[in-house]
Amino acid sequence: MEITMTTDEHKSRTARSYKLILLFAMVSMTMMFAGLTSAFVVSKSRADWLKDFQLPTAFYFSTVAIIGCSITFHLAKKAIQKDKQSATTAFLLSTLALGILFVILQFVGFGQIVANGYYFTGSESSITTTFLYIVTVVHLIHLAGGLISLLIIIYNHFKQKYNSTQTLGIELGAMYWHFLDFLWVYLFLFLYFFK
C-alpha cells in the first residue's frame, strides 16, 4: 500500500525541518556565547581587570534598536499572515533600517571606548576591553547573517513569494531575529552588571 503526502503535509514537514535546523543552530550559538561569558567570568579575577569600566552610551541605544528589530519583524509576520502586503513591506524595511542602525551604534560604541582611552588590542589594551570586543564582534558576525537573510526575505517579498498561506521564510527570519535580540539583551545585561 503506497502512502502519498498531500501538498499541505509536505509544506508542514518542510517547515518543521527548517525550524528544527534553525533551532539547532541557535542552540549551538548559545553554547558558544555561554563559553565566552564563562571565560569572561573566569578572567575577572585577573589583576589587570578594569573594575571601573563603563559601557559606552551607544550600546544603550543599540539595545533599543535591536529590540525594535524584533518588534517590527514580529509585526511583519503578523501582517503577512493577514495578506497585508504593504504593511509587511513597511515592517520588513523598518527591521532592516533598525538592524543597520544597531550595527552603526555598535561601531560608535567602539569609538567611544577608544576615545575614553581604552584599546582592544596591543600593549595598551586590557583583558576587559578585549573580551568586550570579542563578544560584541562575534554577535555582529551573527547579526550580519541575520541582515543577509533579511535582505533575501525582502527580495522574496517583493517577488510576491509570501502570503497568508506561505509565510515560512518570514517566520524563520523572525525566529532568528528574536534570538539575536535575546542574545544581545543577555550580553548587554551581563556586561552591564558583571563588572
Side-chain angles (χ1 to χ4, degrees):
M1 182 176 190
E2 194 175 309
I3 299 172
T4 57
M5 251 194 299
T6 66
T7 306
D8 286 343
E9 288 172 334
H10 179 69
K11 269 184 169 179
S12 177
R13 278 192 181 181
T14 302
R16 277 198 310 268
S17 297
Y18 282 136
K19 287 177 182 177
L20 194 59
I21 290 167
L22 180 57
L23 189 62
F24 280 129
M26 291 188 303
V27 167
S28 299
M29 289 179 233
T30 302
M31 297 300 288
M32 181 180 57
F33 279 99
L36 284 172
T37 52
S38 296
F40 196 91
V41 170
V42 170
S43 297
K44 189 180 175 201
S45 61
R46 289 176 47 138
D48 60 346
W49 190 261
L50 298 174
K51 305 286 185 208
D52 59 344
F53 181 78
Q54 299 294 319
L55 288 176
T57 55
F59 280 17
Y60 294 85
F61 295 113
S62 69
T63 303
V64 172
I66 202 163
I67 290 170
C69 284
S70 263
I71 293 167
T72 54
F73 220 140
H74 175 74
L75 292 172
K77 185 177 92 169
K78 290 296 178 193
I80 199 64
Q81 288 170 343
K82 295 174 183 169
D83 278 324
K84 295 181 177 176
Q85 296 290 333
S86 59
T88 304
T89 301
F91 290 129
L92 287 174
L93 292 176
S94 297
T95 305
L96 179 63
L98 287 167
I100 292 169
L101 178 62
F102 175 84
V103 173
I104 291 167
L105 288 168
Q106 293 285 284
F107 283 100
V108 169
F110 293 153
Q112 289 174 340
I113 291 169
V114 172
N116 288 333
Y118 299 109
Y119 298 92
F120 304 112
T121 60
S123 59
E124 296 180 13
S125 68
S126 75
I127 190 69
T128 311
T129 54
T130 301
F131 260 115
L132 174 70
Y133 183 71
I134 289 169
V135 166
T136 52
V137 166
V138 171
H139 182 264
L140 280 172
I141 290 167
H142 288 90
L143 191 100
L147 286 170
I148 291 166
S149 68
L150 179 57
L151 287 170
I152 292 167
I153 289 166
I154 291 169
Y155 173 80
N156 286 336
H157 174 64
F158 282 124
K159 290 286 191 180
Q160 305 291 317
K161 292 192 177 180
Y162 302 121
N163 56 51
S164 59
T165 61
Q166 173 55 302
T167 61
L168 182 61
I170 292 177
E171 284 181 49
L172 292 171
M175 275 177 67
Y176 188 65
W177 273 94
H178 294 327
F179 169 74
L180 290 173
D181 177 13
F182 169 79
L183 188 58
W184 174 254
V185 170
Y186 159 73
L187 292 171
F188 177 79
L189 293 174
F190 176 83
L191 295 167
Y192 181 82
F193 288 110
F194 197 86
K195 295 176 183 175

PDB file of all heavy atoms in Angstrom, residues 41-65:
ATOM      1  N   VAL A  41      33.874  35.540  33.036  1.00  0.00           N
ATOM      2  CA  VAL A  41      33.755  35.403  34.493  1.00  0.00           C
ATOM      3  C   VAL A  41      35.085  34.956  35.091  1.00  0.00           C
ATOM      4  O   VAL A  41      35.547  35.514  36.091  1.00  0.00           O
ATOM      5  CB  VAL A  41      32.634  34.398  34.852  1.00  0.00           C
ATOM      6  CG1 VAL A  41      32.650  34.050  36.330  1.00  0.00           C
ATOM      7  CG2 VAL A  41      31.280  34.955  34.442  1.00  0.00           C
ATOM      8  N   VAL A  42      35.718  33.966  34.478  1.00  0.00           N
ATOM      9  CA  VAL A  42      36.993  33.449  34.983  1.00  0.00           C
ATOM     10  C   VAL A  42      38.072  34.535  34.931  1.00  0.00           C
ATOM     11  O   VAL A  42      38.872  34.686  35.858  1.00  0.00           O
ATOM     12  CB  VAL A  42      37.424  32.201  34.173  1.00  0.00           C
ATOM     13  CG1 VAL A  42      38.842  31.789  34.516  1.00  0.00           C
ATOM     14  CG2 VAL A  42      36.460  31.050  34.423  1.00  0.00           C
ATOM     15  N   SER A  43      38.067  35.327  33.873  1.00  0.00           N
ATOM     16  CA  SER A  43      39.099  36.358  33.698  1.00  0.00           C
ATOM     17  C   SER A  43      38.935  37.530  34.660  1.00  0.00           C
ATOM     18  O   SER A  43      39.867  38.311  34.844  1.00  0.00           O
ATOM     19  CB  SER A  43      39.076  36.887  32.265  1.00  0.00           C
ATOM     20  OG  SER A  43      39.393  35.843  31.378  1.00  0.00           O
ATOM     21  N   LYS A  44      37.788  37.659  35.267  1.00  0.00           N
ATOM     22  CA  LYS A  44      37.541  38.780  36.176  1.00  0.00           C
ATOM     23  C   LYS A  44      38.503  38.775  37.365  1.00  0.00           C
ATOM     24  O   LYS A  44      38.772  39.814  37.965  1.00  0.00           O
ATOM     25  CB  LYS A  44      36.095  38.731  36.671  1.00  0.00           C
ATOM     26  CG  LYS A  44      35.702  39.959  37.445  1.00  0.00           C
ATOM     27  CD  LYS A  44      34.280  39.867  37.923  1.00  0.00           C
ATOM     28  CE  LYS A  44      34.007  41.079  38.802  1.00  0.00           C
ATOM     29  NZ  LYS A  44      32.913  40.916  39.679  1.00  0.00           N
ATOM     30  N   SER A  45      39.037  37.623  37.703  1.00  0.00           N
ATOM     31  CA  SER A  45      39.945  37.527  38.851  1.00  0.00           C
ATOM     32  C   SER A  45      41.365  37.984  38.520  1.00  0.00           C
ATOM     33  O   SER A  45      42.199  38.086  39.405  1.00  0.00           O
ATOM     34  CB  SER A  45      39.974  36.090  39.373  1.00  0.00           C
ATOM     35  OG  SER A  45      40.455  35.229  38.341  1.00  0.00           O
ATOM     36  N   ARG A  46      41.625  38.296  37.252  1.00  0.00           N
ATOM     37  CA  ARG A  46      42.972  38.746  36.867  1.00  0.00           C
ATOM     38  C   ARG A  46      43.269  40.127  37.443  1.00  0.00           C
ATOM     39  O   ARG A  46      42.377  40.952  37.628  1.00  0.00           O
ATOM     40  CB  ARG A  46      43.098  38.793  35.350  1.00  0.00           C
ATOM     41  CG  ARG A  46      43.145  37.418  34.711  1.00  0.00           C
ATOM     42  CD  ARG A  46      43.175  37.488  33.225  1.00  0.00           C
ATOM     43  NE  ARG A  46      44.127  38.450  32.696  1.00  0.00           N
ATOM     44  CZ  ARG A  46      44.909  38.226  31.657  1.00  0.00           C
ATOM     45  NH1 ARG A  46      44.871  37.072  31.045  1.00  0.00           N
ATOM     46  NH2 ARG A  46      45.717  39.158  31.216  1.00  0.00           N
ATOM     47  N   ALA A  47      44.555  40.370  37.685  1.00  0.00           N
ATOM     48  CA  ALA A  47      44.981  41.655  38.264  1.00  0.00           C
ATOM     49  C   ALA A  47      44.730  42.827  37.323  1.00  0.00           C
ATOM     50  O   ALA A  47      44.491  43.949  37.773  1.00  0.00           O
ATOM     51  CB  ALA A  47      46.465  41.573  38.624  1.00  0.00           C
ATOM     52  N   ASP A  48      44.770  42.584  36.002  1.00  0.00           N
ATOM     53  CA  ASP A  48      44.597  43.693  35.054  1.00  0.00           C
ATOM     54  C   ASP A  48      43.141  43.928  34.652  1.00  0.00           C
ATOM     55  O   ASP A  48      42.854  44.657  33.704  1.00  0.00           O
ATOM     56  CB  ASP A  48      45.453  43.459  33.807  1.00  0.00           C
ATOM     57  CG  ASP A  48      45.106  42.171  33.072  1.00  0.00           C
ATOM     58  OD1 ASP A  48      44.399  41.323  33.649  1.00  0.00           O
ATOM     59  OD2 ASP A  48      45.552  42.009  31.924  1.00  0.00           O
ATOM     60  N   TRP A  49      42.207  43.338  35.393  1.00  0.00           N
ATOM     61  CA  TRP A  49      40.785  43.539  35.091  1.00  0.00           C
ATOM     62  C   TRP A  49      40.385  44.966  35.470  1.00  0.00           C
ATOM     63  O   TRP A  49      40.716  45.448  36.543  1.00  0.00           O
ATOM     64  CB  TRP A  49      39.947  42.537  35.879  1.00  0.00           C
ATOM     65  CG  TRP A  49      38.516  42.523  35.437  1.00  0.00           C
ATOM     66  CD1 TRP A  49      37.477  43.163  36.036  1.00  0.00           C
ATOM     67  CD2 TRP A  49      37.984  41.859  34.296  1.00  0.00           C
ATOM     68  NE1 TRP A  49      36.322  42.942  35.337  1.00  0.00           N
ATOM     69  CE2 TRP A  49      36.606  42.135  34.264  1.00  0.00           C
ATOM     70  CE3 TRP A  49      38.529  41.063  33.306  1.00  0.00           C
ATOM     71  CZ2 TRP A  49      35.772  41.645  33.269  1.00  0.00           C
ATOM     72  CZ3 TRP A  49      37.705  40.563  32.322  1.00  0.00           C
ATOM     73  CH2 TRP A  49      36.336  40.862  32.312  1.00  0.00           C
ATOM     74  N   LEU A  50      39.654  45.641  34.586  1.00  0.00           N
ATOM     75  CA  LEU A  50      39.221  47.018  34.850  1.00  0.00           C
ATOM     76  C   LEU A  50      37.957  47.000  35.711  1.00  0.00           C
ATOM     77  O   LEU A  50      36.909  46.542  35.274  1.00  0.00           O
ATOM     78  CB  LEU A  50      38.936  47.754  33.541  1.00  0.00           C
ATOM     79  CG  LEU A  50      40.119  47.928  32.582  1.00  0.00           C
ATOM     80  CD1 LEU A  50      39.634  48.546  31.270  1.00  0.00           C
ATOM     81  CD2 LEU A  50      41.196  48.787  33.210  1.00  0.00           C
ATOM     82  N   LYS A  51      38.061  47.507  36.921  1.00  0.00           N
ATOM     83  CA  LYS A  51      36.920  47.492  37.846  1.00  0.00           C
ATOM     84  C   LYS A  51      35.942  48.645  37.574  1.00  0.00           C
ATOM     85  O   LYS A  51      34.767  48.544  37.863  1.00  0.00           O
ATOM     86  CB  LYS A  51      37.405  47.593  39.300  1.00  0.00           C
ATOM     87  CG  LYS A  51      38.410  46.530  39.695  1.00  0.00           C
ATOM     88  CD  LYS A  51      37.761  45.188  39.864  1.00  0.00           C
ATOM     89  CE  LYS A  51      38.781  44.186  40.379  1.00  0.00           C
ATOM     90  NZ  LYS A  51      38.512  42.837  39.985  1.00  0.00           N
ATOM     91  N   ASP A  52      36.445  49.754  37.023  1.00  0.00           N
ATOM     92  CA  ASP A  52      35.610  50.946  36.854  1.00  0.00           C
ATOM     93  C   ASP A  52      35.160  51.164  35.408  1.00  0.00           C
ATOM     94  O   ASP A  52      34.662  52.236  35.062  1.00  0.00           O
ATOM     95  CB  ASP A  52      36.378  52.180  37.344  1.00  0.00           C
ATOM     96  CG  ASP A  52      37.687  52.387  36.585  1.00  0.00           C
ATOM     97  OD1 ASP A  52      38.148  51.437  35.919  1.00  0.00           O
ATOM     98  OD2 ASP A  52      38.233  53.501  36.652  1.00  0.00           O
ATOM     99  N   PHE A  53      35.280  50.149  34.567  1.00  0.00           N
ATOM    100  CA  PHE A  53      34.935  50.296  33.150  1.00  0.00           C
ATOM    101  C   PHE A  53      33.426  50.442  32.970  1.00  0.00           C
ATOM    102  O   PHE A  53      32.648  49.688  33.544  1.00  0.00           O
ATOM    103  CB  PHE A  53      35.451  49.086  32.354  1.00  0.00           C
ATOM    104  CG  PHE A  53      35.152  49.162  30.891  1.00  0.00           C
ATOM    105  CD1 PHE A  53      35.914  49.968  30.063  1.00  0.00           C
ATOM    106  CD2 PHE A  53      34.085  48.461  30.349  1.00  0.00           C
ATOM    107  CE1 PHE A  53      35.633  50.053  28.703  1.00  0.00           C
ATOM    108  CE2 PHE A  53      33.791  48.546  29.003  1.00  0.00           C
ATOM    109  CZ  PHE A  53      34.573  49.346  28.176  1.00  0.00           C
ATOM    110  N   GLN A  54      33.034  51.428  32.175  1.00  0.00           N
ATOM    111  CA  GLN A  54      31.618  51.670  31.889  1.00  0.00           C
ATOM    112  C   GLN A  54      31.334  51.369  30.421  1.00  0.00           C
ATOM    113  O   GLN A  54      32.128  51.715  29.556  1.00  0.00           O
ATOM    114  CB  GLN A  54      31.263  53.140  32.173  1.00  0.00           C
ATOM    115  CG  GLN A  54      31.463  53.564  33.623  1.00  0.00           C
ATOM    116  CD  GLN A  54      30.504  52.863  34.570  1.00  0.00           C
ATOM    117  OE1 GLN A  54      29.331  52.702  34.259  1.00  0.00           O
ATOM    118  NE2 GLN A  54      31.010  52.427  35.711  1.00  0.00           N
ATOM    119  N   LEU A  55      30.193  50.751  30.157  1.00  0.00           N
ATOM    120  CA  LEU A  55      29.795  50.509  28.772  1.00  0.00           C
ATOM    121  C   LEU A  55      29.522  51.851  28.079  1.00  0.00           C
ATOM    122  O   LEU A  55      29.016  52.775  28.710  1.00  0.00           O
ATOM    123  CB  LEU A  55      28.537  49.645  28.717  1.00  0.00           C
ATOM    124  CG  LEU A  55      28.694  48.175  29.079  1.00  0.00           C
ATOM    125  CD1 LEU A  55      27.329  47.490  29.067  1.00  0.00           C
ATOM    126  CD2 LEU A  55      29.637  47.472  28.128  1.00  0.00           C
ATOM    127  N   PRO A  56      29.844  51.953  26.796  1.00  0.00           N
ATOM    128  CA  PRO A  56      29.579  53.204  26.079  1.00  0.00           C
ATOM    129  C   PRO A  56      28.079  53.462  25.942  1.00  0.00           C
ATOM    130  O   PRO A  56      27.285  52.512  25.851  1.00  0.00           O
ATOM    131  CB  PRO A  56      30.235  52.977  24.714  1.00  0.00           C
ATOM    132  CG  PRO A  56      30.293  51.500  24.559  1.00  0.00           C
ATOM    133  CD  PRO A  56      30.441  50.927  25.931  1.00  0.00           C
ATOM    134  N   THR A  57      27.683  54.724  25.917  1.00  0.00           N
ATOM    135  CA  THR A  57      26.262  55.067  25.822  1.00  0.00           C
ATOM    136  C   THR A  57      25.643  54.564  24.520  1.00  0.00           C
ATOM    137  O   THR A  57      24.455  54.250  24.481  1.00  0.00           O
ATOM    138  CB  THR A  57      26.047  56.585  25.934  1.00  0.00           C
ATOM    139  OG1 THR A  57      26.853  57.233  24.949  1.00  0.00           O
ATOM    140  CG2 THR A  57      26.419  57.092  27.314  1.00  0.00           C
ATOM    141  N   ALA A  58      26.438  54.455  23.455  1.00  0.00           N
ATOM    142  CA  ALA A  58      25.913  53.963  22.174  1.00  0.00           C
ATOM    143  C   ALA A  58      25.367  52.546  22.311  1.00  0.00           C
ATOM    144  O   ALA A  58      24.437  52.171  21.595  1.00  0.00           O
ATOM    145  CB  ALA A  58      26.988  54.020  21.096  1.00  0.00           C
ATOM    146  N   PHE A  59      25.912  51.744  23.232  1.00  0.00           N
ATOM    147  CA  PHE A  59      25.420  50.383  23.433  1.00  0.00           C
ATOM    148  C   PHE A  59      23.998  50.382  24.002  1.00  0.00           C
ATOM    149  O   PHE A  59      23.219  49.478  23.730  1.00  0.00           O
ATOM    150  CB  PHE A  59      26.354  49.593  24.344  1.00  0.00           C
ATOM    151  CG  PHE A  59      27.583  49.044  23.636  1.00  0.00           C
ATOM    152  CD1 PHE A  59      27.996  49.535  22.406  1.00  0.00           C
ATOM    153  CD2 PHE A  59      28.334  48.041  24.211  1.00  0.00           C
ATOM    154  CE1 PHE A  59      29.120  49.032  21.764  1.00  0.00           C
ATOM    155  CE2 PHE A  59      29.456  47.519  23.579  1.00  0.00           C
ATOM    156  CZ  PHE A  59      29.847  48.022  22.353  1.00  0.00           C
ATOM    157  N   TYR A  60      23.667  51.392  24.792  1.00  0.00           N
ATOM    158  CA  TYR A  60      22.303  51.505  25.318  1.00  0.00           C
ATOM    159  C   TYR A  60      21.325  51.736  24.168  1.00  0.00           C
ATOM    160  O   TYR A  60      20.272  51.105  24.084  1.00  0.00           O
ATOM    161  CB  TYR A  60      22.196  52.655  26.323  1.00  0.00           C
ATOM    162  CG  TYR A  60      22.986  52.444  27.596  1.00  0.00           C
ATOM    163  CD1 TYR A  60      24.337  52.784  27.663  1.00  0.00           C
ATOM    164  CD2 TYR A  60      22.385  51.906  28.730  1.00  0.00           C
ATOM    165  CE1 TYR A  60      25.076  52.594  28.828  1.00  0.00           C
ATOM    166  CE2 TYR A  60      23.107  51.710  29.895  1.00  0.00           C
ATOM    167  CZ  TYR A  60      24.460  52.055  29.941  1.00  0.00           C
ATOM    168  OH  TYR A  60      25.177  51.844  31.092  1.00  0.00           O
ATOM    169  N   PHE A  61      21.700  52.661  23.281  1.00  0.00           N
ATOM    170  CA  PHE A  61      20.835  52.968  22.137  1.00  0.00           C
ATOM    171  C   PHE A  61      20.756  51.791  21.161  1.00  0.00           C
ATOM    172  O   PHE A  61      19.711  51.542  20.567  1.00  0.00           O
ATOM    173  CB  PHE A  61      21.316  54.238  21.430  1.00  0.00           C
ATOM    174  CG  PHE A  61      21.204  55.464  22.293  1.00  0.00           C
ATOM    175  CD1 PHE A  61      22.335  56.131  22.744  1.00  0.00           C
ATOM    176  CD2 PHE A  61      19.958  55.949  22.679  1.00  0.00           C
ATOM    177  CE1 PHE A  61      22.235  57.252  23.543  1.00  0.00           C
ATOM    178  CE2 PHE A  61      19.834  57.074  23.478  1.00  0.00           C
ATOM    179  CZ  PHE A  61      20.980  57.731  23.912  1.00  0.00           C
ATOM    180  N   SER A  62      21.878  51.081  21.004  1.00  0.00           N
ATOM    181  CA  SER A  62      21.853  49.922  20.098  1.00  0.00           C
ATOM    182  C   SER A  62      20.940  48.826  20.655  1.00  0.00           C
ATOM    183  O   SER A  62      20.302  48.094  19.896  1.00  0.00           O
ATOM    184  CB  SER A  62      23.268  49.384  19.847  1.00  0.00           C
ATOM    185  OG  SER A  62      23.816  48.793  21.008  1.00  0.00           O
ATOM    186  N   THR A  63      20.852  48.729  21.972  1.00  0.00           N
ATOM    187  CA  THR A  63      19.952  47.758  22.599  1.00  0.00           C
ATOM    188  C   THR A  63      18.498  48.095  22.262  1.00  0.00           C
ATOM    189  O   THR A  63      17.713  47.205  21.917  1.00  0.00           O
ATOM    190  CB  THR A  63      20.172  47.726  24.129  1.00  0.00           C
ATOM    191  OG1 THR A  63      21.550  47.408  24.376  1.00  0.00           O
ATOM    192  CG2 THR A  63      19.279  46.700  24.805  1.00  0.00           C
ATOM    193  N   VAL A  64      18.162  49.370  22.315  1.00  0.00           N
ATOM    194  CA  VAL A  64      16.808  49.801  21.946  1.00  0.00           C
ATOM    195  C   VAL A  64      16.545  49.480  20.475  1.00  0.00           C
ATOM    196  O   VAL A  64      15.467  48.999  20.108  1.00  0.00           O
ATOM    197  CB  VAL A  64      16.618  51.312  22.229  1.00  0.00           C
ATOM    198  CG1 VAL A  64      15.286  51.810  21.681  1.00  0.00           C
ATOM    199  CG2 VAL A  64      16.724  51.590  23.723  1.00  0.00           C
ATOM    200  N   ALA A  65      17.561  49.708  19.620  1.00  0.00           N
ATOM    201  CA  ALA A  65      17.410  49.452  18.176  1.00  0.00           C
ATOM    202  C   ALA A  65      17.145  47.978  17.898  1.00  0.00           C
ATOM    203  O   ALA A  65      16.260  47.638  17.095  1.00  0.00           O
ATOM    204  CB  ALA A  65      18.654  49.923  17.415  1.00  0.00           C
TER     205      ALA A  65
END
